[in-house]
Each structure stands twice: as C-alpha cells, then as structure tokens.
Amino acid sequence: NYVDAEILSTTLVAFLILATGGLHLEGLQKTFDVAALRQSTTSAGSSSGAIGVAAIVIVLLFKIKSMDILEEKLTLALLLTPVLARWAMLVFIYGSHRHSEGDASRIAENVKFWHVLFASIATLAPVTYLLGRTGLLIGLCLSIFSLVFRGLLQRRNGVLTDANFGAVVELSEALSLILLASL
C-alpha cells in the first residue's frame, strides 16, 4: 500500500534477476542470438546480437506488467512462479539427451522418469491446492509450452544447450505470471 504498483513490480523483477545472478537471462539471450545467427547466415545484413537483447526486454516487460495486474495474488505468484518455471525446465530436459550437447547432455542423461513424476506431484499438488483448477491449467500450459519450445529448438538448431535451460526458465516464469494475471 505504500509503494506504487509499477515501482514495486520493477523492484521485484530486479530482485529476481539479482537472486539468480541473471543466469537465466543470459541463457535467454544466447538462445535467441543463436537462432538469429543461424537465420542471418541465410540472409544478408542482420544484427543478431540485438535479437537476444530484445527478447530479454520483452520478457522483462511482460513480467513487470503481469505483476502490476496481480495485486492480491502477487505474494502467491512470487512463491509459485519460480517453482513452476523450474518444473517446466525439468519437463523440457527429460528425454532430450539424444538432442543435447556438452553440459546439457550430461544433465539430461541424469534426469529419470521418477524425477519428473516426483517433481510433478511435489509442484502441482500445492499449486492446485492454492489455485484450484487455475493451477492445473497453468501447469498444463507450461508443460505444453516447454515441450513445443524444445521441439522448435531441436528442429531449428539441431541440438540443445544449457543456455536453452535458462531460456525456458525465463519464458516459463513470464508465461506463468501472464496466466496468473489473466485467469
């Protein structure tokens, strides 16, 4: 009640960035820069570095505006959004070891079905308890998003990298905030 909603949401997003060290934003930038770099090799005169920065700005703006709208659900969103995003990353990683390279391949090889099952129960049970059907809908949307995003990256780049893990976390956080704000 003491701080304007825009200032509060901007401060909260900045705190989330500082808490993770910006690691996931770096992954988002690298993911979109690689996609732009691959496209710029087929077309002349494209500045690929700007695409990653633009992706970061767009994601941060969506997060800030979604937090502005949340009001009474803001505390709940701040607790659930990072948890849902990490769960979506686990869904993204599971079964991707054949299409991964480097650290991403080693991580994906170690993710087993029981990890995904346990994490799904541990994540979706409290989310459903706190949000009801809306929580299940958000979980469904995030799982579909992460699988579609993985398929697009595999098709476009041929391999998945650890930078893609950070990208899926940032995009999942933004998507879950958007869904919480609109549902």
Side-chain angles (χ1 to χ4, degrees), residues 5 9 18 21 24 34 58 71 157 161 179:
S9 59
L18 291 174
H24 302 120
V34 166
I58 291 168
E71 294 176 4
N157 302 336
T161 65
L179 290 171

Side-chain angles (χ1 to χ4, degrees), residues 121-136:
I121 293 168
T123 301
L124 295 177
V127 168
T128 304
Y129 176 75
L130 294 170
L131 297 174
R133 288 184 183 168
T134 303
L136 285 178

Side-chain angles (χ1 to χ4, degrees), residues 90-113:
L90 188 63
V91 171
F92 178 87
I93 293 171
Y94 178 69
S96 67
H97 63 277
R98 291 183 300 267
H99 304 287
S100 302
E101 68 179 9
D103 290 338
S105 178
R106 285 188 290 280
I107 292 168
E109 286 174 357
N110 290 320
V111 175
K112 308 296 184 219
F113 176 74

